[in-house]
Amino acid sequence: MSAELTSLASGSCHFGDAGCGFPAPGLNEFQFKPIFSIGSIEFNKPMLLSIIVALLVVVFFWAAFAKPRLVPGKLQLVGEIGYDFVKRSIVLETIGKKGEKYVPMLVSMFFFIWLMNIMSIIPFAQFPVSAAIAFPAGLAAVVWITYMTLTFKKHGFVGGLKNLCWPSGIPGWVMFILVPIEFFSNIFVRPFTLAVRAFANMFAGHLLIVMFSIASWYLLSPSLGALYGSASFIVAVGLTAFELLVQFLQAYIFVMLASSYIAGALEEAH
């Protein structure tokens, strides 16, 4: 929670009070003091939350499948539903049978991203880890490295470049325009947009929820501001509910795009 929000909640600053302006949230909502430092490396709240999320994913799936039974228990059943959802609805639909070996990685990625996003509505956490650009950028880098590795491993160096830059069924006279565009798109644009899409949605959603939450308290007063404050609170609740859907969709879209890149690497042509 930012210093402005803490000050607002602990004081009596409301709409109409003399010398009391609206403490609009900004980039300060995404800046955290280090919990501790090791040399020049600072360990902060988003890093702590990401470790907690990673442990939750590992512990849950380990507990669910450590001793699998033919008739699954409740924990195993939930794990199987989650695993099969990603496998059947995303991986097999996008890659096909060739995607079986990549299911564990993509399942882990899906639940890791989803839980990082859900942290925004968890008490005391209240921050979507994906709103810190380093985390979606790191995941996008993993996808990009996998994409490039599979492309050149399957097709070789020359074949890999052709797969990346030379679309099939296109007249040769347009290739001198299309090849640089395809190269730039597949090598640079894809990882960039993959990271920014996950980051920007969580960043904007968190900022909107914080803004309307602050406004709900700030507008709370005996005057007409109470009506505006109530409306702001309703909007904040509605945005939180909508954000739950967005959090799931961003994890889904990220893994779906990762699957499509892997599928493209394994195919003979675009």
Side-chain angles (χ1 to χ4, degrees):
M1 185 179 291
S2 68
E4 287 84 353
L5 185 54
T6 303
S7 175
L8 181 68
S10 61
S12 57
C13 180
H14 294 290
F15 175 72
D17 292 347
C20 182
F22 177 66
L27 291 178
N28 54 306
E29 296 294 334
F30 303 88
Q31 297 170 346
F32 298 91
K33 293 181 180 179
I35 299 172
F36 62 86
S37 300
I38 302 177
S40 60
I41 301 174
E42 297 181 344
F43 187 87
N44 57 20
K45 180 179 178 179
M47 297 171 70
L48 175 62
L49 293 177
S50 68
I51 291 174
I52 292 173
V53 167
L55 289 175
L56 285 174
V57 173
V58 171
V59 170
F60 171 77
F61 281 103
W62 179 83
F65 297 111
K67 296 180 180 179
R69 293 183 293 177
L70 186 60
V71 180
K74 293 180 180 179
L75 195 62
Q76 183 182 335
L77 180 61
V78 173
E80 288 180 356
I81 291 172
Y83 188 90
D84 284 343
F85 170 76
V86 177
K87 177 182 176 181
R88 299 180 187 277
S89 300
I90 304 177
V91 181
L92 295 184
E93 285 287 331
T94 307
I95 307 175
K97 288 292 184 180
K98 295 180 291 185
E100 290 273 3
K101 65 172 68 176
Y102 308 106
V103 171
M105 180 189 79
L106 294 170
V107 168
S108 301
M109 195 170 287
F110 174 85
F111 284 99
F112 182 62
I113 296 170
W114 189 21
L115 289 180
M116 283 201 302
N117 294 343
I118 287 178
M119 284 292 122
S120 68
I121 62 169
I122 302 299
F124 303 107
Q126 295 175 308
F127 183 77
V129 184
S130 298
I133 186 63
F135 296 96
L139 291 168
V142 171
V143 172
W144 185 83
I145 291 170
T146 303
Y147 175 43
M148 291 292 108
T149 301
L150 291 175
T151 298
F152 290 106
K153 182 178 179 181
K154 179 173 177 60
H155 304 285
F157 181 74
V158 175
L161 288 176
K162 184 178 179 181
N163 180 273
L164 291 169
C165 307
W166 197 276
S168 60
I170 304 296
W173 62 272
V174 298
M175 282 301 182
F176 77 97
I177 298 175
L178 198 56
V179 167
I181 293 175
E182 284 288 300
F183 179 83
F184 186 77
S185 173
N186 289 323
I187 302 297
F188 300 106
V189 175
R190 280 188 169 185
F192 176 78
T193 56
L194 191 64
V196 170
R197 182 182 292 105
F199 156 74
N201 280 279
M202 291 300 101
F203 182 94
H206 181 66
L207 196 60
L208 282 171
I209 290 173
V210 170
M211 183 179 69
F212 281 99
S213 298
I214 294 174
S216 300
W217 178 260
Y218 175 74
L219 293 172
L220 186 63
S221 64
S223 65
L224 188 61
L227 178 62
Y228 300 138
S230 301
S232 181
F233 177 76
I234 293 171
V235 172
V237 172
L239 283 172
T240 302
F242 179 71
E243 194 68 7
L244 286 171
L245 174 62
V246 173
Q247 289 161 2
F248 173 82
L249 286 177
Q250 287 308 309
Y252 182 92
I253 292 170
F254 192 99
V255 174
M256 183 181 67
L257 289 173
S259 298
S260 71
Y261 299 161
I262 292 172
L266 299 176
E267 291 176 356
E268 291 300 330
H270 287 253

